């Protein structure tokens, strides 16, 4: 396969468009499978891990003070309005490590999937006892039963991270959600690659989860950093702190070329350049950088993804073939719009219901003169057909919705199907049912027209 940038340059003359390349053609999606892993699913830390990890979520109290008593901090949806907290029915700290919401997925081709657990409990400060884990899942689409077949714990015994980590003084140096916020993953040969939001960084590990390298992000020949980058510090006296990436808007999705030669990490938010966020005609756009796997370096090239609405976020990014890929674009709402609050926010209604949850097919080869990738079309995750009654929960009269705030997983399964999963933000999301913590849901969608669209 040719690198994407060569295909782009070779076809540029014939595909120049007048403005940003985007389309809004909707394609049908049919529910073909529905797997569920209960939110209250936990794994034990490794036997040689510090005692710190026997429980998790000890630093999630509002005042940030340690709380050791299990199940003593009530979980509430982080989309609750002030004075109208919506409980989730779960409480911290947990005994063990949660197999909570997934922020990256890879179909392994044999019916199993590798999933990346989100970094912890929402921030760098409250996640030092949350271990970074990758799980292998076995899913029986006929029964809906999904199970964790294997768990890998990321670690840095060779001291590749150039800054102090939580387990600095230990032998295995297990990595935590206070060290990195890994949001996407790829498997290439005998290596795993992770897109991180704190740096943003690209992390490289072996297949056991041992860190081999850490790469800082580069765009237009310049290193770009978030406020959580290890080299960014608060000044001694009041003054500006320089960074280009908003907190929690680093590498959210990261695709790989089908031959494994390049990675394409996608920022979740626009970059701050020239004193403003990057926009095109008032609309925010995101950078898709290019990383040469063999060289272990960014190439300096990047593409642009135009958001449908300012403030939308990205969930995941995986390639379909040499030039086309899948990107989740979503709003920041959760829950059925029909159960949205009609007056003042309250605990018995969704004050920010889900409305925009889409998967776009994009094409690098049809990018315009400014580098904006073409949006070939989309499927709507709030309008999924279920004529066969496949849904375990959430189905109604032949329709199924995926009304979660953070839908962060999509990958191609075969020529007709994609898999999609949510990050359930344990214990801070209740988009499926009021007052109940969301489970980890994985859905198989039949979308042949969408995958073959040009």
């Amino acid at each position: 396969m040719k690198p994407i940038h060569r295909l782009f340059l070779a076809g540029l003359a014939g595909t120049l468009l007048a403005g940003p390349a985007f389309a809004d053609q909707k394609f049908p999606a049919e529910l073909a499978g529905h797997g569920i892993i209960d939110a209250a699913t936990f794994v034990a830390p490794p036997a040689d891990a510090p005692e710190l990890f026997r429980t998790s979520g000890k630093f999630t109290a509002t005042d940030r003070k340690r709380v050791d008593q299990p199940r003593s901090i009530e979980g509430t949806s982080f989309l609750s309005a002030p004075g109208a907290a919506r409980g989730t029915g779960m409480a911290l700290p947990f005994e063990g490590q949660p197999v909570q919401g997934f922020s990256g997925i890879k179909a392994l081709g044999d019916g199993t999937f590798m999933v990346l657990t989100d970094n912890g409990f929402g921030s760098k400060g409250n996640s030092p006892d949350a271990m970074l884990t990758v799980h292998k899942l076995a899913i029986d689409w006929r029964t809906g039963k999904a199970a964790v077949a294997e768990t890998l714990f990321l670690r840095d015994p060779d001291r590749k991270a150039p800054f102090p980590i939580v387990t600095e003084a230990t032998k295995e140096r297990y990595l935590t959600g206070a060290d990195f916020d890994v949001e996407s993953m790829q498997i290439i040969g005998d290596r795993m690659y992770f897109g991180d939001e704190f740096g943003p960084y690209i992390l490289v590990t072996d297949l056991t989860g041992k860190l081999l390298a850490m790469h800082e992000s580069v765009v237009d020949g310049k290193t770009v950093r978030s406020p959580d980058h290890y080299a960014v510090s608060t000044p001694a006296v009041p003054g500006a702190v320089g960074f280009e990436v908003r907190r929690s808007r680093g590498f959210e999705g990261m695709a790989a070329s089908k031959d494994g030669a390049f990675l394409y990490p996608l920022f979740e938010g626009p970059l701050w350049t020239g004193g403003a966020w990057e926009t095109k005609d008032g609309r925010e756009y995101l950078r898709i950088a290019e990383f040469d796997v063999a060289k272990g370096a960014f190439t300096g090239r990047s593409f642009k993804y135009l958001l449908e609405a300012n403030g939308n976020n990205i969930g995941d990014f995986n390639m379909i073939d040499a030039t086309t890929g899948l990107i989740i674009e979503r709003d920041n709402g959760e829950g059925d719009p029909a159960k949205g609050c009609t007056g003042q926010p309250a605990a018995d209604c969704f004050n920010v219901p889900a409305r925009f949850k889409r998967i776009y097919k994009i094409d690098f080869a049809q990018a315009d003169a400014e580098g904006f990738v073409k949006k070939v079309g989309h499927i709507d995750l709030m309008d999924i057909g279920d004529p066969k009654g496949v849904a375990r929960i959430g189905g109604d009269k032949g329709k199924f919705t995926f009304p979660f705030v953070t839908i962060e997983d999509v990958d191609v399964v075969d020529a007709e199907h994609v898999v999609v999963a949510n990050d359930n933000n344990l214990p801070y999301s209740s988009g499926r049912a009021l007052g109940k913590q969301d489970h980890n849901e994985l859905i198989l969608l039949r979308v042949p027209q969408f995958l073959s669209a040009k």
Side-chain angles (χ1 to χ4, degrees):
M1 186 203 79
K2 294 180 180 179
I4 286 177
H5 64 271
R6 292 181 185 172
L7 287 170
F8 168 59
L9 294 173
L12 184 60
T15 60
L16 294 183
L17 303 177
F22 63 93
D24 199 26
Q25 182 178 0
K26 180 179 177 179
F27 291 90
E30 178 183 331
L31 188 65
H34 190 187
I36 299 173
I37 297 178
D38 193 281
T41 301
F42 302 90
V43 294
D48 61 351
E51 186 68 23
L52 170 71
F53 302 122
R54 302 305 168 193
T55 57
S56 55
K58 296 184 290 294
F59 305 94
T60 55
T62 303
D63 60 8
R64 293 294 176 88
K65 293 180 180 179
R66 174 197 291 271
V67 176
D68 290 308
Q69 181 61 42
R71 313 282 176 162
S72 60
I73 305 172
E74 293 297 325
T76 59
S77 169
F78 69 81
L79 291 182
S80 298
R86 287 191 290 111
T88 64
M90 296 194 72
L92 298 151
F94 298 125
E95 294 171 318
Q97 295 289 318
V99 181
Q100 60 115 312
F102 308 134
S103 60
I105 192 167
K106 286 305 300 178
L108 299 181
D110 60 357
T112 63
F113 302 87
M114 294 296 286
V115 293
L116 173 64
T117 292
D118 207 352
N119 78 306
F121 302 105
S123 73
K124 187 182 181 78
N126 69 11
S127 301
D129 59 0
M131 304 183 78
L132 299 187
T133 55
V134 178
H135 308 282
K136 184 177 182 180
L137 300 183
I139 305 174
D140 186 335
W141 296 115
R142 296 171 302 171
T143 65
K145 185 176 181 180
V148 176
E150 182 182 1
T151 297
L152 298 177
F153 294 87
L154 304 191
R155 63 198 197 285
D156 182 25
D158 297 335
R159 292 174 167 76
K160 298 298 182 180
F163 54 85
I165 65 174
V166 170
T167 61
E168 183 71 24
T170 67
K171 179 181 178 181
E172 285 298 315
R173 291 166 46 93
Y174 288 102
L175 295 172
T176 75
D179 305 318
F180 297 104
D181 183 3
V182 284
E183 295 284 351
S184 47
M185 65 178 296
Q186 294 294 335
I187 304 171
I188 301 174
D190 61 355
R191 298 289 184 267
M192 293 191 292
Y193 296 81
F194 299 89
D196 157 83
E197 286 200 311
F198 282 168
Y201 314 115
I202 291 179
L203 307 182
V204 187
T205 76
D206 66 13
L207 295 181
T208 72
K210 184 176 76 169
L211 189 64
L212 303 176
M214 186 193 89
H215 303 280
E216 300 187 40
S217 56
V218 178
V219 176
D220 294 339
K222 178 184 176 182
T223 299
V224 294
R225 298 167 173 167
S226 88
D228 291 317
H229 187 283
Y230 72 89
V232 175
S233 60
T234 304
V237 296
V241 179
F243 54 91
E244 300 77 25
V245 182
R246 179 183 165 185
R247 173 168 286 136
S248 193
R249 294 295 182 268
F251 294 146
E252 179 68 34
M254 184 174 67
S257 61
K258 301 307 287 187
D259 64 357
F262 295 91
L263 293 172
Y264 295 97
L266 168 61
F267 290 88
E268 189 176 14
L271 298 182
W272 182 263
T273 59
W277 299 114
E278 291 190 321
T279 61
K280 172 67 176 182
D281 298 329
R283 288 172 60 183
E284 295 173 345
Y285 65 83
L286 312 178
R287 294 292 191 114
I288 303 173
E290 183 182 68
F291 182 86
D292 188 310
V293 172
K295 294 180 179 179
F298 286 86
T299 67
R301 302 178 182 87
S302 67
F303 292 86
K304 300 170 183 176
Y305 177 90
L306 189 67
L307 291 170
E308 291 299 299
N310 291 346
N312 276 2
N313 293 123
I314 295 306
D316 201 6
F317 178 27
N318 266 308
M319 298 301 291
I320 301 170
D321 53 34
T323 66
T324 65
L326 301 171
I327 292 178
I328 299 173
E329 182 177 343
R330 59 171 180 79
D331 63 15
N332 287 293
E334 70 175 3
D336 185 352
K339 297 179 181 178
C341 300
T342 57
Q344 292 295 319
D348 61 353
C349 57
F350 295 108
N351 60 296
V352 187
R355 300 188 186 279
F356 190 99
K357 309 290 181 182
R358 296 180 179 180
I359 298 175
Y360 277 91
K361 180 177 183 178
I362 60 99
D363 191 351
F364 286 100
Q366 297 187 67
D368 73 4
E370 297 178 82
F372 285 91
V373 297
K374 180 181 179 179
K375 287 183 171 179
V376 176
H378 72 271
I379 55 175
D380 186 351
L381 298 179
M382 295 297 290
D383 185 20
I384 299 169
D386 186 19
K388 299 177 182 177
V390 173
R392 310 290 168 185
I393 52 176
D396 182 31
K397 298 178 181 178
K399 290 292 184 180
F400 175 78
T401 63
F402 216 53
F404 304 111
V405 59
T406 44
I407 304 169
E408 299 196 351
D409 314 87
V410 64
D411 198 13
V412 177
V413 175
D414 56 38
E416 293 193 347
H417 298 87
V418 299
V419 62
V420 184
N422 66 318
D423 173 0
N424 69 348
N425 300 299
L426 187 73
Y428 304 121
S429 282
S430 59
R432 181 62 79 191
L434 287 163
K436 186 176 181 180
Q437 170 63 43
D438 290 329
H439 297 304
N440 294 302
E441 295 189 32
L442 301 101
I443 54 176
L444 185 68
L445 300 181
R446 184 175 181 272
V447 288
Q449 293 173 280
F450 177 59
L451 289 176
S452 63
K454 303 296 183 182

